[in-house]
Amino acid sequence: MSSFLIQQTHVCLSVSLCLSLTHTHTHTYTHKMEQIQHKHVQVKGLKLHVAEIGAGAKVVLFLHGFPEIWYSWRHQMIAAAHASYRALAIDFRGYGLSDPPLEPEKASFLDLVDDVIGVLDSLGISKAFLVGKDAGAIPTFLVAILHPERVSGVVTLGIPFMLPGPSILQAHLLPKGFYVTRWQEPGRAEADFGRLDVQTVIKNIYTLFSSSEIPIASDDKEIMDLVDPSTPLPPWFSHEDLAAYADLYKNSGFRTALQVPYRCMNKDCGINNPKIKAPSLLIMGEKDYCIKFPGMEDFIRSEKVKEFMPDLEIDYIPEGSHFVQEQFPEQVNQLILSFLGKHGA
């Protein structure tokens, strides 16, 4: 056989093997996703959606932010179940497959605390590790303060310790086109989002929030105008992922999601001298735009945050964006599982 034919055969075999391994990996992952079970539980008159995988005695409850949903935790749920934990992820009230509150405009972060405790009670779970991302970090902190006996440990991604109240974000130090300020205006985000279909809204927010720059619009633009429609999805976020998100938000809409977190974050939660005693972990992507919020990076790197969480570990992922758990799932999974292993006794 000629040298060329040998090389050509080798290339063909390599490509075939690569395709075979890719197909096997995809098939295995799809099978694991299919093992995630779905149910609804009653919490204060509302049906809340719970996704669950694994049958371990120790429980990990994952709490999403915006524009996320239970599905945001798919990689971490599968990894936790594989490590013999019982992994749960909920859709907060008004999100995805959960019922909306009767009066969405009155909803607050304390309602999300009720969601967490209600789900644990409904499933007969006395104690769990809480893992919160973005706005899901806020109810994580609140539960750890208000119900410390229910919390084995705390993990948050992208957000250091903070509680709802007038000083939660120093938005006055940012231009008035700051996306949080815009979305706090009643009706403004609704009109902005309403020009587009739900899938495009999710795509645009994922595109904006994947950047290392804070989304800020000029006076003559809305937040959705900041995205070039031709911008491709991030490489770690597939069209199937986008469709899954879009289907869930088509069901719930954005009414409650705009109230919690954005329009209720400045409402004081009435907690004085807060401190979380549970072992804790903060995972920060160094390309997460949130680290550029006024005072945020100094609060974390100076370890002032440990005044509120004395037993806190901090890990940085250099290229990590706002969606670090989807962008670098293996790294995040390793950090979370290592933390759980240390504090799971």
Side-chain angles (χ1 to χ4, degrees), residues 5-16:
L5 285 176
I6 291 172
Q7 290 174 2
Q8 188 179 46
T9 302
H10 176 71
V11 169
C12 289
L13 288 171
S14 297
V15 171
S16 297

Side-chain angles (χ1 to χ4, degrees), residues 81-97:
H82 183 70
S84 300
Y85 291 91
R86 182 182 179 188
L88 310 172
I90 66 174
D91 289 339
F92 281 121
R93 62 182 66 194
Y95 281 81
L97 300 176

Side-chain angles (χ1 to χ4, degrees), residues 28-44:
T28 302
Y29 186 77
T30 301
H31 175 68
K32 288 177 179 176
M33 284 293 291
E34 290 171 349
Q35 291 179 324
I36 296 176
Q37 299 177 344
H38 299 269
K39 66 182 75 172
H40 282 83
V41 300
Q42 288 280 344
V43 175
K44 295 198 169 183

Side-chain angles (χ1 to χ4, degrees), residues 137-181:
I138 308 300
T140 301
F141 298 138
L142 286 168
V143 172
I145 292 169
L146 298 172
H147 303 277
E149 75 285 355
R150 308 301 296 270
V151 180
S152 301
V154 167
V155 180
T156 62
L157 287 74
I159 297 292
F161 181 84
M162 60 177 67
L163 294 178
S167 62
I168 186 170
L169 288 180
Q170 300 181 63
H172 64 284
L173 298 177
L174 290 165
K176 60 183 179 179
F178 176 40
Y179 78 97
V180 171
T181 304

Side-chain angles (χ1 to χ4, degrees), residues 64-69 91-101 104-105 189-190 193-194 196-199 201-202 205 244-263:
H64 67 80
F66 177 81
E68 294 162 300
I69 212 77
D91 289 339
F92 281 121
R93 62 182 66 194
Y95 281 81
L97 300 176
S98 291
D99 284 348
E105 284 70 32
E190 289 87 338
F193 295 179
L196 308 166
D197 61 79
V198 170
Q199 184 160 304
V201 172
I202 298 296
I205 297 174
Y245 275 80
D247 285 345
L248 291 164
Y249 273 99
K250 283 175 188 174
N251 186 70
S252 64
F254 297 104
R255 185 178 176 187
T256 306
L258 287 167
Q259 172 64 19
V260 187
Y262 300 104
R263 294 173 185 166

Side-chain angles (χ1 to χ4, degrees), residues 223-295:
I223 299 301
M224 292 294 100
D225 297 325
L226 298 177
V227 181
D228 181 342
S230 66
T231 304
L233 290 171
W236 41 265
F237 192 71
S238 71
H239 287 281
E240 290 77 15
D241 294 331
L242 177 60
Y245 275 80
D247 285 345
L248 291 164
Y249 273 99
K250 283 175 188 174
N251 186 70
S252 64
F254 297 104
R255 185 178 176 187
T256 306
L258 287 167
Q259 172 64 19
V260 187
Y262 300 104
R263 294 173 185 166
C264 74
M265 66 169 57
N266 295 323
K267 182 180 178 181
D268 198 296
C269 61
I271 297 173
N272 297 315
N273 303 314
K275 188 159 289 190
I276 292 175
K277 296 180 180 178
S280 306
L281 171 66
L282 169 63
I283 300 172
M284 281 301 304
E286 293 190 280
K287 298 288 179 70
D288 187 335
Y289 70 88
C290 287
I291 207 168
K292 293 184 177 179
F293 286 175

Side-chain angles (χ1 to χ4, degrees), residues 50 70 80 87 129 171 200-201 207 213 218-219 258 302 332 342 345:
V50 181
W70 79 265
F129 287 96
T200 302
V201 172
T207 301
E213 298 303 318
S218 57
D219 290 347
L258 287 167
S302 70
V332 170
K342 280 191 286 186

